[in-house]
Amino acid sequence: MSVRAALTESFLDAVTGSHVSWFWLVKMELTSGTLYLTSLDFDIDLDGVTWIGTRGLGGIGPIEESDNGVSGITLTLAGVTESHIAGILLENIQGKKITVQMAVLNESTEPPTVATDPNVWQGLLDTQNFMEGQATVIVTAENRLIEWDKPRLLRFSDQDLRRTRPADNFFKYADTMASKDIVVFSKAQVEATMKY
């Protein structure tokens, strides 16, 4: 049983045609705003968003899957404007979401439409490096499945509970109670006390 979302009918029509015209869509959700890039030589408007043409995106490293997991990818951003390069270099991109989609031109419709496969690759940005001689930025990203390997340390404490539920006071006095001495009487002590 596959966990992959079903492909749309328009995408299936486009990829089963006699001639397939495809390109990449890359969405980086940065703190300064979401950056939409396409591997085309020109900007396109798709789903109410303008995707910036990067003249080939410079390159996307191979996306590999194995029994041990999914590897990260490397993106070479060669055709991005200087302002976008500066924005990527100045920002702390680590941990920000990145989505790589495949878009296909469906020429069986009139006018031709663009169909996308949103399932190609999703992950978290890791590092960015600038190559001065070529005015390129190399961005690395880890697949979102790497999150499965990270331990989630949650304890039964007031601090950990308030991270997820700030108004919950259930463990408010847990630390105080842990350091209190609780005296438990034996049956003989209780009976001796009751005689008086």
Side-chain angles (χ1 to χ4, degrees):
M1 178 175 144
S2 175
V3 295
R4 181 180 167 87
L7 297 173
T8 62
E9 192 173 326
S10 61
F11 186 83
L12 291 172
D13 288 344
V15 295
T16 55
S18 57
H19 176 72
V20 177
S21 300
W22 66 276
F23 53 93
W24 293 115
L25 298 173
V26 176
K27 179 171 79 169
M28 296 182 189
E29 299 178 39
L30 306 175
T31 305
S32 58
T34 302
L35 184 60
Y36 298 92
L37 305 173
T38 176
S39 60
L40 296 172
D41 293 343
F42 48 86
D43 296 354
I44 62 164
D45 290 325
L46 185 62
D47 299 329
V49 173
T50 300
W51 298 78
I52 301 166
T54 60
R55 291 170 286 285
L57 251 180
I60 296 179
I63 298 172
E64 299 174 355
E65 294 185 26
S66 67
D67 293 340
N68 297 331
V70 183
S71 65
I73 61 169
T74 302
L75 286 87
T76 307
L77 307 176
V80 189
T81 62
E82 288 181 15
S83 62
H84 287 108
I85 288 175
I88 292 171
L89 289 175
L90 292 173
E91 188 166 339
N92 179 12
I93 67 168
Q94 193 167 33
K96 303 296 187 294
K97 290 182 182 178
I98 179 173
T99 305
V100 178
Q101 298 174 296
M102 178 187 221
V104 179
L105 185 63
N106 188 353
E107 298 176 7
S108 66
T109 62
E110 189 56 46
T113 57
V114 174
T116 59
D117 175 10
N119 301 302
V120 174
W121 199 86
Q122 293 180 348
L124 301 173
L125 292 166
D126 191 19
T127 61
Q128 74 271 43
N129 296 306
F130 181 65
M131 298 180 67
E132 292 182 32
Q134 303 168 1
T136 14
V137 176
I138 296 175
V139 177
T140 60
E142 295 294 336
N143 192 283
R144 67 180 181 163
L145 295 178
I146 202 167
E147 291 293 308
W148 286 98
D149 292 336
K150 293 182 179 176
R152 299 283 191 259
L153 298 176
L154 288 175
R155 294 182 173 82
F156 294 112
S157 68
D158 190 48
Q159 295 85 1
D160 282 358
L161 180 63
R162 288 185 184 272
R163 281 192 318 193
T164 56
R165 296 190 173 122
D168 196 335
N169 294 325
F170 186 81
F171 289 116
K172 184 176 180 179
Y173 300 108
D175 290 340
T176 307
M177 294 300 294
S179 60
K180 289 284 184 188
D181 289 331
I182 299 174
V183 179
V184 179
F185 297 101
S186 67
K187 184 179 178 184
Q189 288 174 320
V190 171
E191 290 175 352
T193 308
M194 292 175 70
K195 289 180 181 178
Y196 298 104

